[in-house]
Every structure is written in C-alpha cells, then in structure tokens.
C-alpha cells in the first residue's frame, strides 16, 4: 500500500501538550519535585515556550529562589510566544493544571518518550536524505555506522539515569557482590577464566572491567583469548543444564570480535582443543576415521554453546559498540573479547595522519571501557607489544612495552602478559654438532609446555604471575596437572 505524500505531511510529531502543561504546573505548585526529575531537560519539551519556562524554573531553583507564576511573570512580559497562548495569565493556567506529585516521574517520562520518538523520526529522515544525496566517497557502510552511532547515542541518553546514588544503594550493591564472592568460596566472584590459578589470583573477570591481554607475536594471545571465551561459554551451558540461573553462573554468553582470524579458523581451533586433534592436521584434512569421529562428537557438543563470533575486518569502535548492544539485547551478552585492539578503527579515523595513531588508540581504549561500563560486562581486549621486548636480555614483558600505549595502561582495570620461554629458547638452537646442543635439547623438552600469565596491573587486587600449560598441538592454555592455587609467586620487580 502506497502512502500519499500529503498524508505524510499531515502527520504531527509525537507530543502531548497536556502532559507538558500538567508537568510544569506541578513544578510551579511545588518546586521540590524538580529535584526528582534529573533525567528531564528543557529540550525534551515540544512546545518552545514550555522549554523556556522550564529553563527559568531550573535557573531559579539553582539560585534557591521560588519559581511561581508571579516570580516568573517578569521574564515573560514581552515574550511573543507566551502572548500567543494568553500571556502571563498562561502561567497561572499552568499552575491550575497541576497533577498529583506522586505521579510526576511518570508524567516526565512521557514527555521524554515523546521527545525520543521525535528524535527517531529525525534520524530516519536523515538516513533517507543521506542515502539519496550521499557523496560517492561515502560508502553505504559508513552511512550505516553513522546511523547506528546516532541511535546508540539516543539509547545511551535513555539508559543512563545519571545523578548521585545514595551510599545505602551503593553499599547494597557492594554487599551483593561480596555475598556472591563468599558463595564461590573466595575463588571466583566474576566470570571464570577457566584456569584455576588465574581465577584464584584475580577472582575471575568482573563486570564493567576492561582487561588488556598483551604479548609479542607467537606468545599465544589469540589462543588464550579463545580458551577463556570457550571456558566461559561452557561454564554457562553446564550451569544452565544443572539448574543454576544465568545470574548465579560463573559463565556467560560470549561475543568474540575476531578482526584477525575468520570465524571458521576460530571454530577449528576450538574443535581442535575439544577433540584432541591437531589444528594443523584438521586444516589439512589429514585425519583418520577415529579422529574424525572425535571431531564430529565435539562439534555436536559445541553447537549448544552460547558463543558468538563476528569476524568483520576493520571494524570501528562505533560499529563494535552497536553490535555488542544488539547481542546484549537479544542474548544477554556477558563477556566481550576483541582480537585485537590495534586492528580496531576509531569512529572518525579516516584522513588522520600516522602521528595521531596514539590518539586513535586512546579513543579506542576509552570506547572499550565505556562499552564495559554501559553494558556491565567484562571486555577482554588483546594488544600487541612493542619490539622493545626483543632488544632486552630478559624477554619478559613490562607495562612500558604496550604498543602505542596512549591510555591503554590507564584505562585498563587488569593488564595480563603472556610469556613462553620456549618460544625464545627455540630461536637459540645451536648446531647439532655443538657441545651445548644436548643441554639445549633437554631444556627445550622441559619447558616445551610451560607458560606464564603475568598480572602486571590489577586495579582491584594484587599483581603477580601464575604458571599454566600451553598445549602447542591444540593451541590451548590449560591448568598444570599439579596446579596448586596456594602457589602464587608475587611480583618482585
């Protein structure tokens, strides 16, 4: 069915003059109700004169003056818009429209809702106009991301209540978190990492935290992130099957943004981990019937996992935010993994000079932290380290090695470094005829599966290193067979 243009033009923007009048009237009758409407702003009003009246009410309230039809009258004596609706007498009319102040929040929410509907119409109209008139250099994807950003901004303004919380309310939230930690036996109060020693060290990954997982190429950043994401999704699946609610589970729905590997590569890696079949042989298809049956069985189990992968390359922080919010609404997202931070783009990165890359990375890390806070989920962001590590005799990474650091260290709540001595030891392989070859070979065997996760920064607790096992065949990080949660060497540097 086609809608005629004249019908569209006859539509009036959503608004309620009566609601605005009653709301202002209640304020003029009792100025104290203004303090309960911290989410209401002058621009929310549809009628221009109502917007100006509310502005004056706020100004007088700030000056500790009483706002009433009499005290407001001098400000509007020459206001033409007010004259059109009855002049200063209109202020008195508003006061007689006052409603029961117990319903004032509902009335204000109605005014805000009408404003947001008008904003949605404006965004929709702008999307249509931009699509028709867009410059050839502006891609459709750029327009989509711009529209998503505007919709996100509008949604954010609705979601964020702002204002102060009473200490009582804040303390109640803190007690709830403490009780959750107590029930976990003092081990995991956040989302599980899947590794006992790391869980014991940091208590899991907590909501609203930004966790930076960093290391040099070849250390296994993607492997560890994949392992953690899988363990977390698996824990939620098992808890739900056992009758544990999602709120009480140590697991979570996982959103994995893979900007480096494709979704099928990630799936292959997890299949390798769960079937104990080499990921390299899986990719080649060089497996026997028994191994294929193990892979098929693992695939059947994994299909039930709440693990979602987005492998869109060159994703902007605005697009990532929009997609994360969408997944959160649809599937109650509980953990975000970004592989990796340097492959993300800032919202307006096009045309920037290379020297502004540090500024761009800073914008990205702040964006990731904001996503963690707004969605109240942990965000794990992988990060590269600078080549400075390679120049030192001691190859263990330090905070200063964070590549294009900017505000990475500042914004992160937790910084984890991965270090595998075996990686560097293999690069020192002597000639087989050399006298040192036997000793080198023996050490290579001893440390082949050794890995270390260094908690270099922990905003909420102690730092230190934990030892784990790296299974090179399946590219998985696992607990050591004799993992002792009491063995937690503290940092000495």
């Amino acid at each position: 069915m086609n809608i005629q243009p004249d019908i569209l033009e006859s539509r009036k923007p959503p608004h309620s003059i009566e609601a605005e009048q009653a709301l202002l009237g209640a304020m003029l009758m009792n100025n104290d109700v203004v303090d309960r409407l911290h989410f209401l702003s002058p621009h929310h009003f549809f009628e221009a004169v109502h917007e100006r009246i509310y502005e004056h009410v706020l100004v007088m309230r700030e000056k500790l003056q009483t706002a009433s039809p009499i005290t407001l009258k001098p400000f509007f004596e020459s206001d033409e818009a007010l004259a059109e609706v009855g002049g200063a007498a209109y202020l008195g009319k508003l006061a007689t429209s006052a409603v029961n102040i117990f319903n004032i929040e509902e009335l204000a929410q109605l005014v805000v809702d009408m404003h947001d509907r008008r904003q949605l119409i404006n965004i929709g109209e702008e999307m249509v106009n931009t699509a028709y008139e867009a410059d050839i250099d502006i891609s459709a994807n750029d327009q989509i991301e711009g529209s998503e950003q505007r919709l996100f901004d509008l949604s954010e303004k609705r979601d964020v209540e702002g204002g102060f919380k009473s200490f009582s309310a804040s303390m109640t939230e803190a007690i709830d978190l403490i009780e959750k930690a107590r029930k976990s036996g003092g081990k995991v109060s956040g989302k599980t990492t899947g590794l006992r020693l790391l869980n014991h060290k940091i208590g899991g990954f907590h909501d609203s935290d930004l966790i930076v997982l960093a290391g040099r190429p070849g250390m296994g950043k993607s492997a560890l992130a994949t392992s953690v994401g899988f363990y977390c999704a698996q824990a939620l699946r098992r808890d739900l099957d056992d009758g544990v609610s999602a709120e009480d589970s140590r697991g979570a729905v996982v959103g994995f943004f893979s900007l480096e590997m494709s979704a099928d590569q990630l799936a292959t890696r997890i299949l390798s981990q769960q079937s104990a079949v080499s990921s390299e042989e899986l990719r080649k298809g060089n497996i026997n019937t028994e191994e294929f049956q193990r892979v098929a069985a693992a695939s059947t189990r994994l299909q039930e996992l709440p693990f979602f992968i987005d492998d869109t390359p060159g994703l902007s922080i605005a697009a990532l935010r929009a997609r994360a919010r969408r997944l959160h609404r649809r599937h109650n997202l509980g953990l975000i993994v970004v592989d990796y931070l340097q492959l993300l783009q800032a919202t307006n990165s096009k045309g920037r000079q290379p020297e502004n890359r540090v500024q761009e990375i800073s914008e990205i890390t702040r964006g990731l932290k904001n996503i963690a806070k707004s969605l109240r989920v942990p965000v794990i962001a992988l990060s590269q380290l600078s080549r400075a590590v390679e120049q030192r005799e001691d190859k263990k990474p330090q905070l200063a090695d964070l590549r294009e650091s900017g505000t990475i260290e500042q914004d992160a709540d937790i910084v984890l470094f991965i270090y595998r001595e075996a990686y560097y030891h293999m690069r020192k392989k002597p000639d087989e005829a050399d006298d040192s070859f036997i000793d080198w070979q023996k050490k290579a065997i001893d440390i082949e599966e050794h890995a270390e996760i260094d908690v270099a920064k922990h905003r909420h607790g102690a730092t230190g290193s934990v030892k784990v096992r790296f299974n090179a065949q399946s590219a998985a990080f696992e607990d050591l067979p004799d993992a002792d949660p009491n063995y937690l060497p503290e940092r000495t540097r």
Side-chain angles (χ1 to χ4, degrees):
M1 180 179 68
N2 293 326
I3 300 177
Q4 299 299 321
D6 58 333
I7 296 178
L8 288 174
E9 292 175 2
S10 66
R11 286 185 175 181
K12 294 183 178 180
H15 65 281
S16 174
I17 298 298
E18 294 80 7
E20 293 183 7
Q21 291 174 332
L23 183 59
L24 289 172
M27 294 178 192
L28 296 178
M29 291 296 291
N30 184 348
N31 289 178
D32 289 340
V33 303
V34 176
D35 299 333
R36 290 156 50 183
L37 307 179
H38 54 78
F39 56 87
L40 182 68
S41 297
H43 71 269
H44 286 136
F45 287 89
F46 175 76
E47 182 62 53
V49 71
H50 291 167
E51 178 179 347
R52 291 197 294 278
I53 292 173
Y54 185 50
E55 285 178 344
H56 282 290
V57 170
L58 291 178
V59 170
M60 297 189 74
R61 186 67 178 167
E62 185 177 348
K63 294 180 179 179
L64 302 180
Q65 298 174 349
T66 301
S68 69
I70 296 176
T71 58
L72 288 176
K73 182 179 178 181
F75 297 105
F76 292 94
E77 286 180 338
S78 58
D79 192 302
E80 294 181 0
L82 188 64
E84 292 179 2
V85 293
Y90 184 68
L91 297 172
K93 179 182 177 182
L94 289 177
T96 62
S97 302
V99 297
N100 190 323
I101 62 172
F102 292 108
N103 299 325
I104 197 73
E105 287 92 345
E106 294 181 14
L107 203 59
Q109 286 288 0
L110 175 61
V111 171
V112 172
D113 185 73
M114 293 292 184
H115 164 268
D116 289 346
R117 290 173 186 270
R118 296 194 296 273
Q119 291 297 104
L120 283 172
I121 293 171
N122 292 338
I123 293 172
E125 290 177 346
E126 183 175 317
M127 288 171 61
V128 172
N129 293 334
T130 303
Y132 271 114
E133 303 171 3
D135 188 282
I136 192 170
D137 293 330
I138 302 177
S139 69
N141 190 59
D142 290 338
Q143 295 177 51
I144 291 171
E145 289 186 6
S147 299
E148 286 182 332
Q149 181 63 44
R150 290 199 62 188
L151 287 169
F152 172 78
D153 291 341
L154 179 61
S155 178
E156 279 290 273
K157 290 176 183 176
R158 287 189 62 90
D159 290 345
V160 179
E161 292 185 359
F164 288 103
K165 283 184 178 179
S166 69
F167 183 70
S168 174
S170 301
M171 188 166 57
T172 299
E173 292 182 8
I175 291 297
D176 289 341
L177 291 174
I178 294 170
E179 175 65 9
K180 186 176 181 180
R182 187 187 68 82
K183 289 180 178 179
S184 71
K187 297 177 182 178
V188 185
S189 54
K191 305 297 189 300
T192 182
T193 68
L195 301 166
R196 280 183 292 166
L197 289 179
L198 188 57
N199 275 343
H200 193 279
K201 188 68 178 175
I202 64 176
F205 296 135
H206 293 81
D207 292 344
S208 302
D209 275 359
L210 173 60
I211 301 99
V212 172
L213 174 59
R216 286 294 293 159
M219 287 295 106
K221 297 185 299 297
S222 296
L224 179 57
T226 304
S227 296
V228 168
F230 166 77
Y231 291 141
C232 204
Q234 184 185 55
L236 176 61
R237 183 72 269 164
R238 287 177 175 173
D239 282 345
L240 293 177
D241 290 343
D242 292 341
V244 179
S245 68
E247 292 74 19
D248 293 331
S249 174
R250 296 181 305 153
V253 174
V254 177
F256 199 113
F257 291 90
S258 180
L259 286 81
E260 188 172 39
M261 288 192 297
S262 64
D264 60 281
Q265 288 174 326
L266 266 179
T268 300
R269 175 168 285 181
I270 295 176
L271 277 172
S272 171
Q273 294 174 3
Q274 295 306 300
S275 63
V277 177
S278 166
S279 57
E280 182 179 358
E281 299 304 321
L282 275 179
R283 286 193 296 271
K284 293 178 180 178
N286 186 25
I287 57 176
N288 58 36
T289 302
E290 188 271 333
E291 289 172 329
F292 180 78
Q293 289 175 344
R294 294 210 309 267
V295 171
S299 174
T300 301
R301 296 194 306 271
L302 295 175
Q303 286 178 1
E304 300 297 321
L305 286 185
F307 193 105
F308 298 87
I309 303 171
D310 187 323
D311 60 359
T312 307
L315 207 60
S316 71
I317 188 67
L320 187 148
R321 181 189 297 116
R323 296 179 188 200
R325 287 183 61 82
R326 196 178 305 136
L327 187 60
H328 191 268
R329 287 195 301 269
R330 294 177 180 176
H331 299 285
N332 194 27
L333 176 65
L335 173 69
I336 296 173
V337 182
V338 181
D339 183 11
Y340 59 93
L341 188 152
Q342 279 81 7
L343 290 179
L344 277 173
Q345 295 180 5
T347 304
N348 298 307
S349 62
K350 292 187 177 180
R352 286 189 178 179
Q353 298 300 316
E355 58 266 23
N356 290 329
R357 180 58 177 164
V358 172
Q359 178 183 346
E360 186 177 356
I361 291 295
S362 297
E363 181 181 332
I364 290 170
T365 58
R366 284 194 297 269
L368 291 174
K369 177 60 181 177
N370 288 337
I371 291 172
K373 289 184 66 177
S374 63
L375 297 184
R376 296 184 65 82
V377 301
V379 173
I380 303 173
L382 278 61
S383 177
Q384 294 280 19
L385 291 179
S386 70
R387 291 188 177 90
V389 177
E390 312 297 333
Q391 313 304 319
R392 298 195 303 265
E393 183 66 28
D394 181 6
K395 306 298 184 185
K396 290 188 177 182
Q398 303 170 6
L399 287 171
D401 297 324
L402 284 169
R403 183 177 171 186
E404 298 167 322
S405 58
T407 58
I408 294 179
E409 179 185 346
Q410 176 183 325
D411 290 330
D413 297 281
I414 296 176
V415 176
L416 304 176
F417 289 133
I418 305 175
Y419 174 71
R420 293 195 300 113
E421 184 183 2
Y423 175 84
Y424 293 105
H425 185 70
M426 292 301 295
R427 295 164 66 178
K428 299 177 181 178
K429 182 179 179 180
D431 187 273
E432 293 188 13
D434 195 292
D435 292 340
S436 63
F437 179 77
I438 299 298
D439 291 336
W440 174 90
Q441 187 178 46
K442 181 180 179 181
K443 183 175 181 180
I445 294 172
D446 290 341
I447 66 174
E448 180 182 9
E449 295 185 336
H450 289 189
E452 187 175 320
I453 300 177
D454 183 13
V455 184
K457 176 186 177 181
H458 189 194
R459 198 186 300 275
H460 314 299
T463 56
S465 298
V466 297
K467 298 185 183 300
V468 293
R469 174 175 180 257
F470 178 69
N471 187 329
Q473 183 180 22
S474 60
F477 284 83
E478 305 164 349
D479 282 314
L480 291 169
D482 57 347
D484 178 6
N486 295 315
Y487 174 67
L488 296 169
E490 297 298 323
R491 290 174 61 88
T492 57
R493 61 177 183 272

